[in-house]
Amino acid sequence: MSEAQVKSAMRAFEVLEHFKLSQQERSMSELAADLGYPQSSTTVLLKTLVKMGYLNYDRARRVYFPTSKVTTLGDWIPRALFGSGRILDAINDVHAITREGTFIGTKNDVYLQYLKTKDSLHALRFHIDEGTVRPITRSAAGWVLLSTLPDSKIENMVRRANIATSNPSERMKLDVVLREIEKIRHQGYASVEDLPFEGGATIAVLLPLKVQGQPATLAIGGAVYRFRKNFDKYLGALRSAVQALSPEDEFETPVQIEV
């Protein structure tokens, strides 16, 4: 595949993601300006998406908007990922108790991917879009996922994650990660402050079920001062949610930790 084809594919997704954020009709010139695309290539791209049925074009007002075909691309995914939905019940229960940002994360190569997120209801909060990825070494949730790997594989994973971390100051030392993993295996959860966000804190636990064959973590994140004040309550909410789950659904299999 040529570089031009790759760029076109990326831009098609960026257009659709832009509509997700704006949630309103946009003209060609607005899309080109917002996304920093040349108007000529934006016109061609939008016409292609209209022809494929993913965008609707109102010629009278010269505006575009996604069609329902976009939603059908992924309407089957929650069932495939979460089976009976009991994992989603867990994230909802934790969110209702803590009102903090709550998410389910899985390993995607050398990254932690935020598979499902619910925003904090507090005024001071950190927002993470669903689908966001970050190096697996750069969060408590990532450490929880690393803790499921055999010790023989962790060093290689940390090395590769550091290569994927563009800022050298954010690369994690192997001995630091190994100490955190040892604590996680002993106490059954991970917690950290000021990572990945300054002033933020995270508590994460391992789910007893896999998502699409991958270990998954349930975690909450928010302001450090709230987590210090409510640590026992928050950890209790996570543990209660985990205890309510059992690997009975055909789409969900138990996690086995290798050491």
Side-chain angles (χ1 to χ4, degrees):
M1 183 178 291
S2 70
E3 184 177 343
Q5 288 174 313
V6 172
K7 182 180 290 187
S8 295
M10 290 177 60
R11 285 180 171 177
F13 283 110
E14 287 171 348
V15 166
L16 296 177
E17 288 180 348
H18 183 74
F19 277 112
K20 176 187 174 182
L21 294 174
S22 67
Q23 298 186 12
Q24 61 183 336
E25 298 168 324
R26 307 294 283 172
S27 68
M28 182 278 295
S29 58
E30 287 173 331
L31 286 166
D34 291 345
L35 296 170
Y37 299 164
Q39 291 202 2
S40 57
S41 57
T42 304
T43 299
V44 173
L45 175 60
L46 295 176
K47 285 183 177 179
T48 300
L49 290 172
V50 169
K51 186 176 180 179
M52 294 179 69
Y54 292 111
L55 292 183
N56 175 269
Y57 179 55
D58 185 326
R59 187 170 296 274
R61 294 185 297 131
R62 297 183 179 181
V63 292
Y64 295 84
F65 197 74
T67 70
S68 59
K69 186 176 180 179
V70 175
T71 62
T72 63
L73 287 173
D75 59 5
W76 57 275
I77 293 177
R79 170 70 178 171
L81 289 176
F82 304 117
S84 65
R86 290 180 299 119
I87 291 180
L88 298 181
D89 290 340
I91 191 175
N92 290 333
D93 289 345
V94 171
H95 186 261
I97 293 171
T98 67
R99 304 177 77 234
E100 298 286 0
T102 312
F103 67 88
I104 295 168
T106 56
K107 182 170 74 68
N108 185 348
D109 192 29
V110 296
Y111 301 97
L112 161 73
Q113 183 158 30
Y114 296 84
L115 202 61
K116 183 69 178 177
T117 65
K118 289 184 73 71
D119 280 342
S120 170
L121 300 179
H122 296 280
L124 178 58
R125 58 188 177 182
F126 301 92
H127 172 76
I128 300 175
D129 288 326
E130 283 186 8
T132 297
V133 297
R134 74 175 69 258
I136 199 167
T137 54
R138 295 285 302 165
S139 72
W143 298 340
V144 167
L145 296 175
L146 284 174
S147 74
T148 68
L149 295 176
D151 289 348
S152 59
K153 293 184 178 180
I154 292 175
E155 181 177 357
N156 178 262
M157 182 65 71
V158 172
R159 178 180 59 81
R160 292 170 56 219
N162 280 337
I163 292 173
T165 304
S166 56
N167 186 345
S169 67
E170 295 183 349
R171 293 170 184 165
M172 300 294 292
K173 293 182 178 179
L174 177 62
D175 61 336
V176 173
V177 176
L178 290 176
R179 282 199 300 270
E180 294 297 333
I181 288 173
E182 184 179 358
K183 287 195 297 184
I184 292 165
R185 289 172 175 168
H186 174 71
Q187 63 192 16
Y189 67 90
S191 63
V192 69
E193 295 182 356
D194 298 319
L195 188 77
F197 305 114
E198 189 73 24
T202 305
I203 308 173
V205 296
L206 183 68
L207 287 171
L209 309 172
K210 288 185 177 181
V211 176
Q212 285 296 96
Q214 288 283 345
T217 178
L218 176 63
I220 52 176
V224 166
Y225 77 90
R226 287 199 307 269
F227 274 58
R228 290 178 178 176
K229 180 180 178 181
N230 298 289
F231 186 88
D232 290 341
K233 174 184 176 181
Y234 288 0
L235 179 58
L238 288 168
R239 284 178 162 167
S240 295
V242 165
Q243 290 170 359
L245 294 170
S246 60
E248 298 172 351
D249 191 272
E250 60 178 323
F251 290 90
E252 299 161 342
T253 55
V255 171
Q256 296 182 353
I257 299 178
E258 304 175 68
V259 293

